[in-house]
Amino acid sequence: MKIHFTKMHGTGNDYVYVNLFTEKLTDYSGFARFVSDRHKGIGSDGFIGIAPSDVGDVRMIMYNADGSEGAMCGNGIRCVAKYAYEHGLAVKEEMKVETKSGIKTVYLTVEDGKVQAVRVNMGPAILQPEKIPVQLEGEEVINREIMVKDTPYSITCVSMGNPHCVVFVEDPGKIDLEKIGPLFENHPLFPDRINTEFVQVVDDHTLNMRVWERGSGETISCGTGSCAATVAAVCNGYCRKEVEVAVHVLGGTLYDTYQNNGEVYMKGPATEVFEGDILFE
C-alpha cells in the first residue's frame, strides 16, 4: 500500500511522520523498521504517527528504528506540534499532545503562519530507581558507581518518560560510543534497557552531550536525553534550577530548564525536510 509521509527533524533527530487522521496504517513496528533503513528505506531514527486523541489535541505514536515502541520523544513532539499547526490538525499556539508517558503541553512560536520554535513542558523528572527503572537500592541514583564490562562508571539516572543514564566525562568526543553504548543499553541493571548520555560540563549553564538511544544507536540529538542531562547536572551541583541550560548536541542546541517544582521545560526548533509517498507491503 502507498503511505504518504513527511520527513522532519528536531536538531537532527529525524523521524518519518505519518498523518493518521488520513492515512491507514496498522503495523507500526514493521513500518518503523522499514522506513528507518538508511539504505533501503527513507532513513530515520524511527517512525512517529500523528493520530486523533480523546484527551488532547493530537496523539503522538512513536516507534524506534528497531521497531520497539517508545514512550516519549522530546525532539519528536516539537515536530508533531509544528505539523499539527501547519496542517490544520490543531491550530493553537498552546497545544495538548497525548503521549504514552502522559499529556504534554507545548507552546508554539509562530511567525507568518509558520512554527519557528516549540517549548515543551516535559513533565516532572523522575528520580526513584524503581520508576526509571534501574535495579539499584535507595531513593535515587546520583553519582553512583557501577561496573560496565570491568570498567567503573559514575552514573546518574533519570526518567523523562523514558529511562536515561547520564555519565559525566571530560570529552564526549573521545567516547567509543559504538562499543560502550550497547553495553550500557543492555546492562542487567536496566530491565527496560536504557538511553545513555555522555556529558561534558562547560559551565553552570552549558553542557556538551552525545547520546546512545535504546533501539536506535547513536543519534545526533535526543530531547528527553538533554532534559535528563540537565536534571543530572543540577543533581550533581554543576547547574542550578530555574536557570536555562544550553545543551549542545551533534545536531544543534536545545535549551532546558529544571524548575523548582520538579518539572522540566525544553525549547528547540522543528524542521520539515520533505514529503512524499512510499510503498509498504
Side-chain angles (χ1 to χ4, degrees), residues 76-281:
I77 197 171
R78 297 200 313 275
C79 291
V80 167
K82 176 181 174 70
Y83 184 99
Y85 185 95
E86 294 182 359
H87 290 79
L89 303 181
V91 186
K92 300 179 178 181
E93 294 187 15
E94 181 178 323
M95 194 181 300
K96 302 290 186 182
V97 180
E98 179 188 356
T99 75
K100 195 177 179 183
S101 66
I103 298 173
K104 307 299 181 184
T105 303
V106 298
Y107 306 88
L108 286 63
T109 300
V110 181
E111 296 178 9
D112 298 324
K114 295 293 184 181
V115 177
Q116 303 300 317
V118 181
R119 188 169 184 252
V120 186
N121 181 348
M122 299 288 286
I126 297 169
L127 299 174
Q128 299 97 317
E130 67 274 11
K131 294 182 179 179
I132 293 174
V134 50
Q135 293 180 334
L136 288 171
E137 298 296 326
E139 295 184 0
E140 53 193 21
V141 178
I142 297 174
N143 195 27
R144 298 269 292 273
E145 184 175 294
I146 67 168
M147 299 297 294
V148 179
K149 197 162 183 169
D150 302 323
T151 301
Y153 289 89
S154 292
I155 67 170
T156 297
C157 293
V158 183
S159 173
M160 290 303 310
N162 48 21
H164 291 272
C165 173
V166 180
V167 182
F168 291 100
V169 297
E170 290 187 2
D171 184 357
K174 293 183 179 179
I175 300 295
D176 186 352
L177 210 53
E178 291 292 329
K179 179 179 179 181
I180 194 64
L183 297 178
F184 271 90
E185 177 181 353
N186 299 292
H187 195 286
L189 284 176
F190 309 115
D192 292 344
R193 298 188 295 168
I194 200 80
N195 303 286
T196 309
E197 288 74 35
F198 295 89
V199 179
Q200 175 191 29
V201 178
V202 178
D203 54 38
D204 65 359
H205 58 275
T206 312
L207 305 174
N208 292 331
M209 182 183 94
R210 287 177 69 195
V211 57
W212 181 270
E213 291 196 56
R214 59 175 183 173
S216 293
E218 182 174 16
T219 58
I220 64 175
S221 181
C222 177
T224 57
S226 76
C227 292
T230 297
V231 171
V234 172
C235 290
N236 282 277
Y238 300 126
C239 299
R240 290 173 291 149
K241 285 187 175 181
E242 300 290 339
V243 175
E244 187 174 79
V245 177
V247 183
H248 300 299
V249 295
L250 296 179
T253 303
L254 297 166
Y255 299 90
D256 304 324
T257 306
Y258 187 21
Q259 303 199 147
N260 285 329
N261 65 3
E263 293 182 340
V264 184
Y265 278 77
M266 176 196 60
K267 182 175 66 179
T271 304
E272 183 173 322
V273 185
F274 61 88
E275 62 179 326
D277 298 308
I278 190 167
L279 294 175
F280 175 59
E281 300 298 331

Side-chain angles (χ1 to χ4, degrees), residues 18-21 28 49-53 57-61 89:
V18 175
N19 181 350
L20 296 175
F21 284 76
Y28 298 148
I50 306 170
S53 171
D57 295 301
V58 294
R59 180 163 68 105
M60 181 175 79
I61 299 168
L89 303 181

